[in-house]
Amino acid sequence: IATAITAADLLPEALAQGVAFGVTLLVIVYEWFVARVALQVSGLTGAGVVALDLAVGIFLNGFAQSLYQ
């Protein structure tokens, strides 16, 4: 929904970026919670799993974009 609101230009640019940032943070926190509970590990280990997931995602996204440029 946040992406749709941002894409439809229903909010000023700065507010739309703030909403998108907030939603992204909430998703990362939720991913940390799921990783921590599902793997039955400490909070720090769960954060490491999330950080590894983000790093791999950024790497793969950059690699995929380089194929089309």
Side-chain angles (χ1 to χ4, degrees), residues 60-69:
L60 290 176
N61 188 24
F63 178 72
Q65 285 184 354
S66 72
L67 293 176
Y68 294 103
Q69 292 180 357

Side-chain angles (χ1 to χ4, degrees), residues 12-35:
E13 183 67 26
L15 186 57
Q17 287 179 354
V19 169
F21 181 72
V23 169
T24 301
L25 282 179
L26 287 174
V27 168
I28 289 172
V29 169
Y30 181 66
E31 183 179 358
W32 166 81
F33 174 76
V34 170

Side-chain angles (χ1 to χ4, degrees), residues 22-54:
V23 169
T24 301
L25 282 179
L26 287 174
V27 168
I28 289 172
V29 169
Y30 181 66
E31 183 179 358
W32 166 81
F33 174 76
V34 170
R36 185 178 60 85
V37 171
L39 298 174
Q40 298 178 352
V41 294
S42 69
L44 187 59
T45 304
V49 169
V50 171
L52 180 63
D53 176 57
L54 288 173

